[in-house]
Amino acid sequence: MSDSATSRRFRFAVVAVPSADRDDWVAQARQVEELGYDTLLVPDTAHAAAPLLAAAVAAACTTSLRVGSYVLAPLRPPGILAWEAQSLQVLTGDRFELGLGAGRPDAARDAAALGIGYASPSDRIAQVAATVSAVRARCGDRSPRILIAGSGSRLLALAGRVADTVALALGPRDGKAELAHAISTVREAAGPRFDDLELSMNLLAVGDGELPASARLPPGLDPAELMVAGSVSVLTGTPAEMAGTLSRRRDVHGVSYLAVSAGYAEIFAPVVERLAGS
């Protein structure tokens, strides 16, 4: 890893599903900002508020917090999404980040519920590429930061070529070898621009104590079992120990942008405080 990659400043995000109550959502956005996080990221699911609208509300009630999608499934025409991204970038005062993906497992069901066709994997990846081009063409020098999340080699390669941030969507049991392999795929595709990329990961569980009720893992996933398996998506220890693990991971792999679910926001905040700005 080059000096420019290992010295990249840490950034931290909270991934939160918008509350059905406006006041609760506003309070949550303000708390995320007060805890010292850089970004509030909104998932794309038809069972909650539309992510770009929720991000706009979060930005309107905060002062420095960045907001973004995590991540949009390819359900929106590239031209329309470029228009919306430009609007959000302007109206948030350049605090918007556009997160894109090729679709999560239940995205096809959401597409059907919305009356939208759901393309093949190859076509969805092509749509991600077309969206990036459309956003950059419309926004020019004021383009929002673009994150692409992926696990497969084709999407990771695309992210390496065109994204600003690559979110490594590792499996819950994946360890250091899988992390290194994913980064190698990104590096090979990125070529000389690799050192300019920001590498990101979502942490499934953090801390030493019992999981908070708001941060339960999906059925069949147990933090203790994942830790024994060597999962890099589980981070345990005291705040100082967790900060040390993340610092070493950045030194070795260049991963500097970490996201946690809203249920872990307060638990992880002491780590954010230790590493913010470093």
Side-chain angles (χ1 to χ4, degrees):
M1 198 63 55
S2 71
D3 290 342
S4 61
T6 57
S7 63
R8 185 173 291 113
R9 184 182 72 85
F10 275 112
R11 293 205 302 150
F12 299 96
V14 170
V15 182
V17 176
S19 169
D21 182 89
R22 178 195 177 277
D23 291 342
D24 286 348
W25 179 238
V26 167
Q28 185 169 20
R30 289 173 175 164
Q31 182 189 38
V32 168
E33 182 174 53
E34 290 168 1
L35 288 173
Y37 288 88
D38 298 279
T39 319
L40 176 61
L41 300 173
V42 187
D44 185 20
T45 169
H47 303 292
L52 299 186
L53 296 177
V57 171
C61 69
T62 55
T63 57
S64 61
L65 185 69
R66 299 180 67 81
V67 296
S69 53
Y70 197 75
V71 289
L72 298 183
L75 305 178
R76 302 158 180 84
I80 290 178
L81 187 49
W83 174 30
E84 294 180 340
Q86 181 191 40
S87 301
L88 268 172
Q89 183 72 331
V90 171
L91 295 175
T92 63
D94 300 311
R95 288 191 283 143
F96 175 62
E97 300 186 4
L98 178 62
L100 303 171
R104 63 191 185 286
D106 55 352
R109 183 176 58 194
D110 281 356
L114 295 170
I116 301 170
Y118 197 62
S120 68
S122 294
D123 287 343
R124 296 200 304 270
I125 292 173
Q127 185 169 340
V128 172
T131 298
V132 173
S133 296
V135 170
R136 295 235 168 94
R138 183 174 183 110
C139 298
D141 292 339
R142 206 172 177 181
S143 176
R145 188 169 192 88
I146 295 177
L147 173 151
I148 295 179
S151 57
S153 58
R154 287 184 296 171
L155 191 54
L156 286 174
L158 173 65
R161 292 193 298 270
V162 304
D164 300 303
T165 300
V166 181
L168 306 165
L170 301 173
R173 294 178 176 80
D174 285 348
K176 294 178 182 178
E178 289 82 7
L179 173 63
H181 177 73
I183 294 173
S184 177
T185 299
V186 174
R187 181 189 292 110
E188 183 177 353
R193 73 186 298 268
F194 180 75
D195 286 346
D196 295 326
L197 289 176
E198 179 181 55
L199 300 180
S200 175
M201 279 186 57
N202 184 43
L203 299 173
L204 293 177
V206 299
D208 276 338
E210 291 289 327
L211 281 175
S214 56
R216 294 297 179 189
L217 293 177
L221 294 181
D222 176 70
E225 184 269 326
L226 296 180
M227 185 173 64
V228 170
S231 170
V232 292
S233 298
V234 175
L235 186 65
T236 61
T238 65
E241 290 168 340
M242 290 189 284
T245 297
L246 293 179
S247 293
R248 290 189 295 274
R249 190 173 293 171
R250 182 182 63 175
D251 291 344
V252 174
H253 298 292
V255 177
S256 61
Y257 189 21
L258 289 308
V260 296
S261 68
Y264 288 112
E266 292 188 67
I267 296 171
F268 194 59
V271 179
V272 173
E273 184 178 7
R274 284 175 176 271
L275 295 177
S278 66

